[in-house]
Amino acid sequence: MTAMFPMLKKFKSLFTSNKTPKFDFEEKVVTIEDQKFVLRKAVQADDIQYMQIQETIYPIPVPWPIDIVKMEIDNKNALYLSLVYRDKVVAFIGISLSDKSESHITNLAVHVDYQNMGIGHLLLNQAFSYCRERNFEKMSLEVDVTNKPALALYDAFGFKTKTVHKKYYFRNHHDALEMMVDL
């Protein structure tokens, strides 16, 4: 199956090894454009809102089906953060922490109504700080070559292309850039 769906290969080890303790995150209130948001660790009840966010920014089928979203939120080798505004999740980021030296951004999504407010920067800054505090040396991710806003964000954070994965995404067969940055 991983030969058919290359993006799933990256997550195989996440589903087979869940022995490390869950990663804690202290809830924070953040101000964006004079509005108060809460940044907190994801809970299982966020799964439907994650799906709704994906549906606002990706064509159907969304890249992460509900069963994968649920597994990732509960994954002991990962940390998912939800940005909440008025009891509604408006953005999220997932970070795989299974490798002791390299963290991996598994997903970063911002609801279309909240884009261009600096939320992607906020979430990446939080991920960088969290991983640096835990002595991770690098951070990696994959991004669709056609996702220009995400590419600009990752470039601003110093990510460099490590390799190109041909036809990486099963939903549209787009190539992906595997990118990495030193922390």
Side-chain angles (χ1 to χ4, degrees), residues 21-33:
K22 285 199 171 201
F23 293 90
D24 292 325
F25 183 82
E26 189 171 327
E27 185 175 293
K28 302 176 183 184
V29 174
V30 295
T31 302
I32 302 167
E33 295 186 359

Side-chain angles (χ1 to χ4, degrees), residues 11 28 38 101 148 181:
F11 303 107
K28 302 176 183 184
V38 174
S101 63
K148 302 302 181 202
V181 67

Side-chain angles (χ1 to χ4, degrees), residues 147-169:
N147 191 340
K148 302 302 181 202
L151 289 167
L153 175 65
Y154 302 142
D155 183 58
F157 275 81
F159 282 90
K160 301 293 182 213
T161 300
K162 184 175 162 185
T163 190
V164 177
H165 297 286
K166 296 291 185 186
K167 298 182 179 181
Y168 184 77
Y169 295 102

Side-chain angles (χ1 to χ4, degrees), residues 93 105 107-109 120-121 124 128 141-144 147-160 177 179-181:
I93 188 168
I105 301 296
N107 206 332
L108 191 164
H121 277 86
L124 270 181
F128 269 56
L141 55 82
E142 289 88 22
V143 60
D144 188 317
N147 191 340
K148 302 302 181 202
L151 289 167
L153 175 65
Y154 302 142
D155 183 58
F157 275 81
F159 282 90
K160 301 293 182 213
L177 299 180
M179 303 183 83
M180 187 166 293
V181 67

